[in-house]
Amino acid sequence: MNSHKKNISVYPDLDDPSLYLNRELTWLEFNRRVLFEAIDQENPLLERLKFIAIFASNMDEFFMKRIGGLKLQVAADMSELTDDGRTPLQQMQECKKLVEELTEFQETAFVSISNALREHKIAIINYQDLQKVGQNRLRQHYLENVFPLMTPQIFDPAHPFPFISNLSLNLVVTFPAESSDENAIARVKVPIGPGVPRFIKVDDYRYVPLEQIIANNLDLLFPGESEFEYDFFFVARNASTERQESGAADLLSMIELELRDRRIAPIVRMVVNKGMNPERQNMLTELLGLDSDLDVYETNGLLARRDLFELTGLPILNLRYPPHQPINHYRLQDSQRSIFNIIREEEAILLQHPYESFSGSVVRFLGEAARDESVRAIKMTLYRTDRETRIVDLLIEAANNGKQVAVVVEIKAKFDEANNITWAERLEEAGIHVTYGVVGFKTHSKVLLVIRREKKQLQRYVHIGTGNYHGGTAKLYTDLGLLTCNKEIGEDATELFNFLTTGHIKKRQFKHIVIAPIDLKTELRHRIATEIKHVENGKTGLIRIKTNALEDKDVVKDLYKASIAGVKVELIVRDTCRLRPKVANLSENITVISVVGRFLEHSRIFYFHNNGKHEYFIGSADIMKRNLESRVEVVTPIVKESLKESLKLILDTLINDHVDSWEMCPDGSYISRKNGDLAAIGCQLQLLEYSQARTQGKRGRKKKRLQSIRKRN
């Protein structure tokens, strides 16, 4: 018997809250790792600045979604404890403390980056530091390009406090009133938007924030006045305003109402400049109905740093990552051949984005399907997409070419609802059959089914992915996709779309793919239990999982049981992780790493040793309660041996990384795995080299390069 095997009688209480980490706090800790990328001097300067912008954007979303949800629970007087034993209010209080700590870290990193950028003559400078000629030039620019868009709003007994839109940057201004001894108070919104950048160029690569130009030219908005005091602030509003739909027919109107509500939703955070006049801060806090202890945050210097994305694309190549141009998959090099013939010859092709081209594979697959005379029907799930990728255009082209086209559009994709409503309306106008999935469940799966007439019979071709059909994120996120003509997967995909368009599941059979909320959680837990049985029988037990989040308590408990039994568990979890690794007599056999690099890790891979059968799966599902129980997710097995080898190489490369990865400690903190080897190559660069070497090897060159990459692992 395995020496690590434990009798079930010595199991700890697996419902003990101390065994579980908090979802919100672990997600915030992920953003600490993002900030470490900003201070890593091995990263190019503008990329470090980008990580500051990513952090700021993440914080905005965190408050809108996570804190917004907690506030709703507090307002509803909910006191139910989380798995880790916290009330909603306790979570908000602890998040406040951690966010303030991370904000200080961000400010330190931003100052360091700003100082380093000045050495390259790139700077965000103060308006008042300019000479008079420079100030006059900016004043004229403001008059011609921004001033007509300005709408100052006085608030007094005759003018109610104005509405403050979500994430808008504002000035609160005071100056002597004309008709009383008290100061007049005004809100001035900074009109950042299309054609109005946040950072106004002075010369070369020096910029002044637009709000400073406005603040130093307030006499244009309030003629005759000269004594102004002002402060800057912005607010984030609650985005957790979802309703339960009563049926598919009212879904569009429900979402449109939710979007309207979100614009006027309660405020969940106000950010002000550090040193703000206390009277103005108290006034705003009271007028906005905020809790000064929980809802108000101070930032030193530049507010709303998400806008720094404007500067991260400056054309200074030595301050950015080397340009990345995805290559076509080595099996898809011949663009003149029918992609259907290639898939049929290979039976299955594993795609790895962004190292391999999304447009040269998935978009090509859909484009050829739209134009191929033998294609009879196309069915697709659409969670997020973009105009540039032309997915919607290709679906419309297919319909115009006489194909039967059915699309399941998930219009409840957070922050993409308005776009998805627009896509759905365009598709319907083209005569395409559009449905909105199963009532009560988000359709998060990424599946594209093409049905083609071949030799007097119908042949199914399927793409199943871990990422969205979005060309922009396909260049920034690491994702996997499977192109296959496997008969059973094709039949299962047909059943899937029948389920999505009818909601009827009774007696529906799936032979190959695994689907949430139907059987994914059950199958996942069953496979963990199988590994435990193998170890109990003296055999090897090994589980490897790559996921964005590990939050579902049932699965965490099962992984604890596996570790206690002696199963080796290797987890690659990007952000939220409730599980505590390396705890004595509980999770000694579990390691958790997080990879943070140039690209956002987004793929999901599941591996089970299964007594040497080596089962691999990829799909759209994270190990979260919502994904396993409240979303339609698709996970597909990978059965072709060469594709299993590719997935093994990916997992080996990530697990053995000592550049881009962090290892989780029992208390939930993380330690960088960098070992001081300056010649070490990060896992993402290794996988990029692997794709390139495989393509070059296909052409008969540089095969040794591929061998060396494999040898590292």
Side-chain angles (χ1 to χ4, degrees):
M1 301 294 284
N2 190 290
S3 60
H4 293 286
K5 181 184 173 184
K6 301 289 195 308
N7 187 287
I8 194 168
S9 63
V10 300
Y11 275 13
D13 177 9
L14 294 181
D15 289 317
D16 182 348
S18 69
L19 303 184
Y20 301 90
L21 297 167
N22 181 261
R23 168 185 164 177
E24 319 303 347
L25 295 173
T26 59
W27 192 86
L28 287 172
E29 284 295 339
F30 161 65
N31 285 277
R32 188 192 301 275
R33 301 194 289 282
V34 170
L35 284 177
F36 268 101
E37 293 297 312
I39 65 171
D40 187 344
Q41 296 191 13
E42 293 182 13
N43 289 328
L45 265 175
L46 288 176
E47 305 297 343
R48 291 168 59 189
L49 187 67
K50 183 183 291 185
F51 282 109
I52 294 289
I54 290 170
F55 172 84
S57 178
N58 285 352
M59 286 301 101
D60 292 338
E61 186 172 327
F62 175 77
F63 278 88
M64 292 164 65
K65 291 172 65 174
R66 303 288 184 89
I67 297 299
L70 290 173
K71 273 186 164 289
L72 290 177
Q73 293 178 44
V74 171
D77 202 25
M78 293 177 62
S79 57
E80 182 179 351
L81 300 182
T82 56
D83 294 333
D84 48 277
R86 290 173 170 86
T87 65
L89 182 59
Q90 283 177 310
Q91 292 180 82
M92 288 176 59
Q93 291 169 337
E94 291 186 50
C95 286
K96 164 88 172 182
K97 182 178 179 181
L98 183 50
V99 168
E100 289 180 334
E101 178 188 336
L102 293 174
T103 299
E104 287 187 16
F105 183 5
Q106 182 214 36
E107 290 174 2
T108 301
F110 181 56
V111 169
S112 174
I113 294 168
S114 298
N115 291 337
L117 285 171
R118 285 193 184 94
E119 296 179 10
H120 297 270
K121 299 182 179 179
I122 302 171
I124 299 172
I125 60 177
N126 294 320
Y127 180 91
Q128 293 176 343
D129 291 340
L130 292 173
Q131 295 181 353
K132 196 66 178 177
V133 63
Q135 292 180 355
N136 289 340
R137 191 182 304 121
L138 287 181
R139 181 181 174 94
Q140 190 62 33
H141 171 89
Y142 168 60
L143 272 170
E144 295 174 358
N145 297 282
V146 180
F147 183 74
L149 304 173
M150 302 296 294
T151 307
Q153 296 171 290
I154 290 284
F155 49 98
D156 55 28
H159 301 86
F161 185 70
F163 174 76
I164 309 297
S165 53
N166 186 39
L167 300 183
S168 63
L169 184 58
N170 306 272
L171 288 78
V172 56
V173 181
T174 58
F175 54 90
E178 295 180 9
S179 56
S180 72
D181 294 333
E182 296 184 358
N183 283 335
I185 307 173
R187 175 260 188 152
V188 178
K189 179 179 177 180
V190 183
I192 302 165
V196 185
R198 168 81 180 279
F199 302 103
I200 308 302
K201 191 172 186 178
V202 179
D203 51 44
D204 296 327
Y205 294 121
R206 295 198 306 159
Y207 300 85
V208 171
L210 178 57
E211 66 270 21
Q212 287 198 19
I213 301 173
I214 294 171
N216 284 278
N217 290 279
L218 288 169
D219 62 296
L220 296 174
L221 292 172
F222 306 101
E225 302 296 339
S226 58
E227 298 180 15
F228 298 101
E229 292 186 10
Y230 59 85
D231 286 290
F232 303 114
F233 74 98
F234 74 89
V235 302
R237 291 184 175 273
N238 195 341
S240 295
T241 57
E242 294 183 6
R243 295 174 172 81
Q244 292 295 320
E245 69 267 28
S246 58
D250 67 347
L251 185 57
L252 271 175
S253 59
M254 183 203 79
I255 293 295
E256 289 170 340
L257 183 59
E258 181 179 312
L259 288 172
R260 288 196 296 271
D261 283 356
R262 190 177 297 168
R263 287 194 290 269
I264 60 173
I267 293 170
V268 294
R269 177 169 76 145
M270 178 172 71
V271 181
V272 303
N273 55 268
K274 192 167 287 186
M276 183 179 196
N277 178 287
E279 290 185 6
R280 280 195 288 273
Q281 181 171 322
N282 291 337
M283 175 195 66
L284 284 177
T285 302
E286 183 177 340
L287 287 170
L288 295 172
L290 302 178
D291 183 322
S292 59
D293 293 327
L294 279 178
D295 304 330
V296 180
Y297 292 76
E298 294 186 345
T299 293
N300 191 28
L302 189 74
L303 269 64
R305 290 176 184 162
R306 60 186 175 272
D307 293 330
L308 290 169
F309 282 118
E310 288 183 13
L311 304 182
T312 59
L314 292 175
I316 307 174
L317 296 183
N318 63 319
L319 300 185
R320 298 172 62 184
Y321 289 130
H324 169 61
Q325 185 62 43
I327 59 174
N328 284 334
H329 186 281
Y330 78 109
R331 297 294 189 192
L332 301 175
Q333 291 294 308
D334 189 348
S335 60
Q336 301 305 310
R337 290 192 63 201
S338 165
I339 196 170
F340 302 107
N341 291 343
I342 298 172
I343 296 171
R344 198 163 55 250
E345 287 177 7
E346 297 293 326
E347 189 174 288
I349 297 172
L350 184 70
L351 307 168
Q352 190 176 6
H353 313 299
Y355 315 122
E356 293 161 354
S357 171
F358 183 78
S359 61
S361 54
V362 180
V363 178
R364 174 183 172 185
F365 177 56
L366 179 58
E368 287 193 27
R371 302 176 189 111
D372 189 322
E373 293 182 357
S374 298
V375 169
R376 297 292 181 263
I378 299 173
K379 300 182 181 184
M380 185 177 191
T381 61
L382 208 58
Y383 190 78
R384 299 186 200 276
T385 190
D386 60 333
R387 186 175 300 278
E388 185 179 344
T389 310
R390 297 190 60 248
I391 293 293
V392 172
D393 292 338
L394 291 173
L395 291 167
I396 292 172
E397 182 180 348
N400 291 339
N401 288 338
K403 323 294 183 191
Q404 294 185 47
V405 182
V407 183
V408 180
V409 178
E410 180 47 75
I411 56 174
K412 291 183 290 181
K414 190 69 74 178
F415 304 124
D416 257 356
E417 296 95 338
N419 284 337
N420 286 4
I421 289 173
T422 300
W423 302 135
E425 290 173 344
R426 280 194 62 200
L427 293 167
E428 286 182 328
E429 288 170 1
I432 291 172
H433 182 59
V434 177
T435 56
Y436 305 110
V438 181
V439 172
F441 299 95
K442 278 189 178 183
T443 302
H444 191 247
S445 52
K446 330 296 183 185
V447 183
L448 171 55
L449 170 64
V450 174
I451 303 166
R452 195 169 184 262
R453 171 70 66 178
E454 295 176 2
K455 296 180 180 179
K456 299 183 180 181
Q457 64 180 11
L458 295 177
Q459 172 68 51
R460 299 175 178 94
Y461 295 85
V462 184
H463 172 265
I464 298 176
T466 68
N468 299 308
Y469 293 106
H470 190 297
T473 56
K475 296 175 182 177
L476 302 173
Y477 295 4
T478 69
D479 272 306
L480 295 167
L482 179 72
L483 285 171
T484 183
C485 59
N486 178 279
K487 185 172 183 281
E488 290 182 329
I489 291 180
E491 291 173 351
D492 283 354
T494 300
E495 286 296 314
L496 170 70
F497 280 101
N498 289 341
F499 166 53
L500 291 174
T501 55
T502 66
H504 180 73
I505 192 57
K506 189 176 181 181
K507 292 187 177 181
R508 202 177 292 284
Q509 298 293 317
F510 295 94
K511 303 173 186 175
H512 216 60
I513 64 177
V514 190
I515 297 175
I518 300 168
D519 58 356
L520 176 56
K521 185 170 180 176
T522 301
E523 288 295 321
L524 181 59
R525 299 186 69 188
H526 168 71
R527 280 171 169 77
I528 296 172
T530 299
E531 293 300 311
I532 294 174
K533 288 181 181 178
H534 287 318
V535 170
E536 289 175 344
N537 291 326
K539 299 175 182 177
T540 298
L542 175 61
I543 298 169
R544 288 174 150 186
I545 295 175
K546 181 179 186 293
T547 180
N548 297 329
L550 174 58
E551 178 263 350
D552 184 87
K553 182 181 178 182
D554 295 329
V555 176
V556 172
K557 287 172 70 172
D558 289 347
L559 292 172
Y560 281 151
K561 291 177 182 178
S563 173
I564 293 169
V567 178
K568 186 177 182 180
V569 181
E570 297 176 325
L571 304 174
I572 306 164
V573 184
R574 188 187 70 202
D575 48 72
T576 298
C577 182
R578 283 195 183 275
L579 180 147
R580 294 181 183 270
K582 299 298 182 183
V583 176
N585 301 316
L586 176 73
S587 54
E588 292 168 303
N589 294 311
I590 302 178
T591 57
V592 179
I593 66 168
S594 172
V595 174
V596 183
R598 172 177 181 173
F599 304 113
L600 181 75
E601 289 293 332
H602 193 252
S603 59
R604 293 89 167 182
I605 307 172
F606 307 86
Y607 165 78
F608 304 92
H609 183 266
N610 195 15
N611 197 26
K613 292 181 182 178
H614 304 295
E615 294 183 310
Y616 286 90
F617 302 81
I618 66 169
S620 59
D622 290 312
I623 306 180
M624 304 181 72
K625 184 178 177 66
R626 71 179 190 194
N627 295 75
L628 299 177
E629 299 180 8
S630 304
R631 290 187 172 190
V632 179
E633 307 275 10
V634 172
V635 170
T636 183
I638 303 297
V639 297
K640 188 176 177 181
E641 287 302 319
S642 62
L643 304 191
K644 287 185 177 183
E645 290 177 8
S646 293
L647 289 175
K648 181 179 186 303
L649 186 142
I650 291 169
L651 291 174
D652 285 346
T653 303
L654 295 169
I655 289 168
N656 294 323
D657 174 80
H658 286 88
V659 176
D660 296 331
S661 59
W662 297 73
E663 185 158 354
M664 190 180 190
C665 301
D667 64 356
S669 62
Y670 285 78
I671 298 175
S672 173
R673 298 174 86 204
K674 287 188 177 182
N675 57 13
D677 182 0
L678 299 179
I681 299 175
C683 55
Q684 294 186 344
L685 181 55
Q686 286 187 54
L687 293 172
L688 172 59
E689 288 183 352
Y690 166 62
S691 292
Q692 293 173 337
R694 190 170 57 171
T695 298
Q696 292 164 347
K698 179 71 175 175
R699 296 169 182 162
R701 298 196 304 271
K702 298 187 180 177
K703 293 185 179 178
K704 289 183 179 179
R705 191 178 181 197
L706 177 56
Q707 292 169 355
S708 68
I709 294 168
R710 285 180 170 149
K711 184 179 286 188
R712 291 178 195 149
N713 300 302

